[in-house]
Amino acid sequence: MGLPAYRAGQVFRWLHRGAGSFAEMSDLPKSLRDLLEEKYRLSALTAMRRQESADGTVKTLWRLWDGNAVESVVMRYHYGNTVCISSQVGCRQGCVFCASSGLGLVRDLTAGEMLEEVLYSGLESGAKITGVVLMGIGEPLENYENVMRFLRLVNAEDGLNIGMRHISLSTCGLVPQIGRLAEEDLQLTLSVSLHAPDDETRKKLMPIARRYDLAALMEACRAYYERTGRRISFEYAPIRGVNDSPEQMTLLAEHMRRVHGHVNLIPLNRVPGSQLEPGNARELARRLQQLGCNATVRRRLGADIDAACGQLRRKEAT
Ligand code: SAH
């Protein structure tokens, strides 16, 4: 608008204080506030429902300006509070074990909407947010440009100033975008949803495996590690009789050796309509460790309010 740069800084800071309208931005001249009101939409998210788990985890359903809705989850750890945010309204990946796939993809979230998930999660819960995981609804690397823009905004010094080392991004394994991400020089943690060490099993669980086989995925992961020096964490939800055999653990450990990866076992959460039975995550972690593979079991938070991995769903905003 041809205004001095400090005006943008003023608006930026007001947005971070949770301003719901330009009218509230009292250090801007009235004429400018009116002009902004006329030209732009302040699309603050509205909390439609808030559920709190026995373990302190809080899930919020947010209404977006167009009537769509997404969920985010605040998890409390002894070292700080982390918010798990959604990156799309719905998801088109169709993983059979995940509730987020149910209704397909409606649209991408904008960078601002993702930023607001973080900002308002902090303002609403009164908890200082110190970490962000892009592990809610949606495939973040499919919404690549908006997610990159979001990362730089959430990291901004005069904004939320959340360090890249406190941000994790999880992907179902979009090979070209993993290559692109490696070039961004970000200190974030990349997680890859693996869930099977052989193509046959992975194809049954995750449609994306039909597009990119394990050889291509593992090569992209190896290159990512070489380029960034940052170890990738591989998510693996044990499903009894599907991906938890001793042979599969041996194969998994081999993949991990090659890519210097770490396995994060996620106890399988129940989702409506799925017959899959959880395998034994602790036992598999021990087995992997015996095979010389670094493995941990993810803490299960918020399962009583359907806020755990794979349980977030697109809801109709009414
Ligand atoms: N689309 C991205 C981001 C989602 S992150 C991705 O696929 O990585 C959510 C994580 O929870 C993913 O690793 C996903 O595979 C896993 N997940 C999905 N459904 C699950 C379930 N029922 N139990 C445990 N983990 C699940």
Side-chain angles (χ1 to χ4, degrees):
M1 291 169 72
L3 295 167
Y6 71 90
R7 292 289 185 215
Q10 285 174 308
V11 173
F12 193 73
R13 282 186 292 277
W14 273 110
L15 293 176
H16 282 82
R17 274 177 243 154
S21 70
F22 292 108
E24 287 169 52
M25 304 184 178
S26 52
D27 54 358
L28 298 181
K30 174 84 170 67
S31 56
L32 177 55
R33 280 182 262 162
D34 291 345
L35 196 60
L36 288 169
E37 204 74 64
E38 199 183 295
K39 291 185 88 151
Y40 299 99
R41 184 186 59 231
L42 261 195
S43 65
L45 306 183
T46 329
M48 290 172 63
R49 195 171 64 222
R50 194 169 175 273
Q51 288 167 274
E52 186 156 353
S53 157
D55 61 30
T57 300
V58 175
K59 180 169 83 169
T60 309
L61 176 70
W62 303 104
R63 184 183 203 280
L64 310 175
W65 67 273
D66 63 355
N68 278 301
V70 292
E71 292 183 315
S72 67
V73 178
V74 176
M75 298 162 290
R76 292 163 191 269
Y77 296 100
H78 60 272
Y79 49 81
N81 303 300
T82 293
V83 60
C84 173
I85 64 161
S86 296
S87 55
Q88 295 181 311
V89 178
C91 185
R92 78 162 97 215
Q93 301 303 324
C95 301
V96 300
F97 44 77
C98 182
S100 301
S101 289
L103 298 160
L105 176 70
V106 179
R107 69 167 173 90
D108 287 334
L109 291 187
T110 64
E113 286 169 329
M114 289 182 263
L115 190 65
E116 288 185 341
E117 286 185 74
V118 181
L119 177 64
Y120 289 109
S121 290
L123 293 175
E124 292 254 332
S125 63
K128 185 174 163 45
I129 303 293
T130 52
V132 175
V133 297
L134 283 140
M135 296 193 182
I137 303 165
E139 167 49 49
L141 293 189
E142 200 187 51
N143 186 11
Y144 193 91
E145 304 294 342
N146 287 324
V147 164
M148 289 308 124
R149 186 144 181 257
F150 158 73
L151 290 172
R152 302 199 197 273
L153 284 169
V154 78
N155 184 233
E157 251 172 54
D158 54 349
L160 292 171
N161 198 12
I162 294 176
M164 282 293 168
R165 288 178 183 272
H166 301 282
I167 300 178
S168 294
L169 183 155
S170 181
T171 177
C172 64
L174 303 186
V175 167
Q177 285 90 328
I178 292 173
R180 219 175 139 192
L181 186 65
E183 301 298 317
E184 306 274 356
D185 262 331
L186 298 172
Q187 298 291 302
L188 54 72
T189 300
L190 178 63
S191 296
V192 172
S193 300
L194 193 61
H195 301 303
D198 58 276
D199 282 315
E200 194 192 332
T201 310
R202 198 159 188 269
K203 279 182 194 159
K204 280 189 214 148
L205 298 173
M206 308 175 70
I208 192 70
R210 290 181 221 142
R211 185 128 51 105
Y212 307 111
D213 64 12
L214 276 165
L217 177 57
M218 287 300 140
E219 174 49 27
C221 291
R222 195 199 54 75
Y224 183 93
Y225 173 73
E226 297 274 302
R227 175 79 174 79
T228 64
R230 300 195 53 84
R231 285 178 193 273
I232 299 178
S233 170
F234 289 86
E235 291 147 304
Y236 200 102
I239 306 170
R240 206 202 303 163
V242 176
N243 64 1
D244 65 345
S245 74
E247 297 73 35
Q248 284 166 318
M249 290 306 110
T250 305
L251 199 50
L252 177 58
E254 271 168 33
H255 285 305
M256 291 304 109
R257 245 192 310 281
R258 250 175 272 132
V259 300
H260 304 272
H262 153 262
V263 178
N264 192 215
L265 292 153
I266 315 180
L268 185 75
N269 293 302
R270 302 258 168 209
V271 305
S274 165
Q275 304 302 316
L276 303 172
E277 292 291 330
N280 187 334
R282 303 220 160 266
E283 193 188 302
L284 296 189
R286 273 194 297 275
R287 185 182 286 272
L288 287 167
Q289 280 150 9
Q290 284 161 7
L291 291 165
C293 170
N294 199 335
T296 47
V297 178
R298 183 176 290 182
R299 265 180 75 200
R300 194 156 172 268
L301 294 175
D304 56 340
I305 53 166
D306 283 347
C309 302
Q311 295 187 314
L312 301 186
R313 286 203 285 166
R314 175 163 83 83
K315 305 262 184 354
E316 294 304 331
T318 43

